[in-house]
């Protein structure tokens, strides 16, 4: 049996997933733009709905791809004399996966989690000091600027990345170099932020801190 046509179709579906991921990246940037320009909260909420729609499409596509891959592997493994109806078999597996769907699946979508995380950080950076009226304005600005300093280089960050585990940010090149150096020594990297107890910083736990970068860039322009 030649499965080339099916493999080609699955490859096309995986390309569709990359388009969904790109769409989610754009939606995240638009939401951050809205917060930065102090747009109506409803507009920001609408972008969250868009993200959830994308997450739904991504889940459905993932199930469809997985159903077909499992079906093909099953047929290759069992090698039946008569080729079964692959489409029906895959559809059964797909419907079984879809029947177990829940809203929490969407909340765990990696791109959606990143969207929520960056949105929270962006709101904190731009609206966080609104309610702290008792704090002197100069102190508030100084505290904010302290967050711009990389704990490794002690310089203002240009490409900050944030640790998903402990929430601290570092200059991307500096933390990656530290991880690489310690890896060669077969040692873990302790979070360089003073007072942090996280003792195993991994490259896979680092995500671009777009919200912080925007605030730093905005501060530099002033």
């Amino acid at each position: 049996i030649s499965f080339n046509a099916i493999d080609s179709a699955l490859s096309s579906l995986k390309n569709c997933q990359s388009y969904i991921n790109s769409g989610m990246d754009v939606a995240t940037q638009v939401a951050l733009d809205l917060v930065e320009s102090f747009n109506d909260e409803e507009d920001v909420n609408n972008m969250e709905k868009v993200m959830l729609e994308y997450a739904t499409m991504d889940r459905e596509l993932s199930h469809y791809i997985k159903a077909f891959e499992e079906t093909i592997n099953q047929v290759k493994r069992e090698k039946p004399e008569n080729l079964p109806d692959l489409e029906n078999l895959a559809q059964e597996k797909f419907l079984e996966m879809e029947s177990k769907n829940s809203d929490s699946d969407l909340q765990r979508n990696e791109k959606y989690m990143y969207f929520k995380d960056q949105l929270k950080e962006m709101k904190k950076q731009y609206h966080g000091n609104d309610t702290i009226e008792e704090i002197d304005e100069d102190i508030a600005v100084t505290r904010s600027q302290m967050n711009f300093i990389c704990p490794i280089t002690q310089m203002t960050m240009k490409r900050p990345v944030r640790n998903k585990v402990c929430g601290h940010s570092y200059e991307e090149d500096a933390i990656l170099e530290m991880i690489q150096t310690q890896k060669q020594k077969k040692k873990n990297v302790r979070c360089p932020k003073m007072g942090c107890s996280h003792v195993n910083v991994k490259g896979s736990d680092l995500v671009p801190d777009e919200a912080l970068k925007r605030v730093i860039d905005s501060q530099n322009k002033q």
Side-chain angles (χ1 to χ4, degrees):
I1 304 165
S2 173
F3 293 104
N4 288 344
I6 294 172
D7 288 340
S8 175
L10 286 175
S11 180
S12 297
L13 287 176
K14 287 173 184 176
N15 280 338
C16 289
Q17 271 192 310
S18 71
Y19 297 140
I20 290 173
N21 286 333
S22 297
M24 294 180 94
D25 289 340
V26 171
T28 300
Q29 294 298 322
V30 170
L32 296 180
D33 285 342
L34 291 171
V35 175
E36 191 172 1
S37 54
F38 296 92
N39 274 59
D40 190 78
E41 184 71 17
E42 188 179 343
D43 292 335
V44 179
N45 291 339
N46 284 336
M47 293 316 299
E48 183 169 352
K49 290 175 186 173
V50 169
M51 288 295 288
L52 285 170
E53 286 172 12
Y54 272 127
T56 304
M57 284 191 285
D58 184 61
R59 178 179 64 187
E60 187 173 334
L61 203 50
S62 292
H63 284 168
Y64 199 73
I65 290 169
K66 188 178 179 184
F68 255 100
E69 286 179 337
E70 285 185 1
T71 300
I72 298 303
N73 289 335
Q74 181 183 333
V75 171
K76 284 179 178 177
R77 191 170 58 248
E78 295 174 359
K79 298 177 181 174
E81 287 184 19
N82 297 315
L83 184 64
D85 188 326
L86 295 178
E87 191 173 345
N88 274 344
L89 275 178
Q91 185 71 7
E92 283 175 18
K93 287 181 186 292
F94 170 73
L95 292 175
E96 184 185 349
M97 291 177 196
E98 286 285 294
S99 69
K100 296 172 184 173
N101 285 348
S102 70
D103 289 343
S104 62
D105 297 340
L106 304 181
Q107 309 287 337
R108 287 194 299 270
N109 177 285
E110 194 169 331
K111 293 274 184 185
Y112 176 74
M113 286 167 68
Y114 179 73
F115 169 87
K116 291 289 286 183
D117 172 70
Q118 289 294 291
L119 205 57
K120 186 177 87 173
E121 288 301 307
M122 197 73 173
K123 287 178 179 178
K124 195 192 299 179
Q125 296 284 357
Y126 277 87
H127 309 297
N129 292 330
D130 293 352
T131 55
I132 314 175
E133 296 171 4
E134 303 84 16
I135 296 180
D136 181 86
E137 188 176 338
D138 290 339
I139 295 174
V141 170
T142 304
R143 282 187 186 176
S144 177
Q145 288 175 342
M146 281 172 64
N147 295 329
F148 301 169
I149 304 297
C150 170
I152 305 166
T153 65
Q154 295 303 311
M155 295 171 67
T156 301
M157 289 179 273
K158 293 177 181 175
R159 286 209 309 268
V161 289
R162 200 149 72 83
N163 192 323
K164 291 188 290 185
V165 179
C166 63
H168 294 128
S169 295
Y170 334 96
E171 181 65 51
E172 183 178 24
D173 289 345
I175 189 64
L176 290 178
E177 184 180 342
M178 183 180 276
I179 291 170
Q180 185 60 31
T181 301
Q182 292 299 89
K183 186 178 179 182
Q184 288 170 354
K185 297 176 183 176
K186 296 184 178 176
K187 291 182 179 179
N188 290 338
V189 175
R190 173 183 280 276
C191 175
K193 186 75 173 178
M194 191 179 292
C196 183
S197 59
H198 183 46
V199 293
N200 190 11
V201 179
K202 298 175 184 172
S204 56
D205 290 331
L206 304 175
V207 293
D209 199 337
E210 178 67 26
L212 181 56
K213 185 179 186 304
R214 283 168 177 253
V215 180
I216 293 171
D217 289 347
S218 174
Q219 189 76 19
N220 289 338
K221 287 174 187 173
Q222 290 176 10

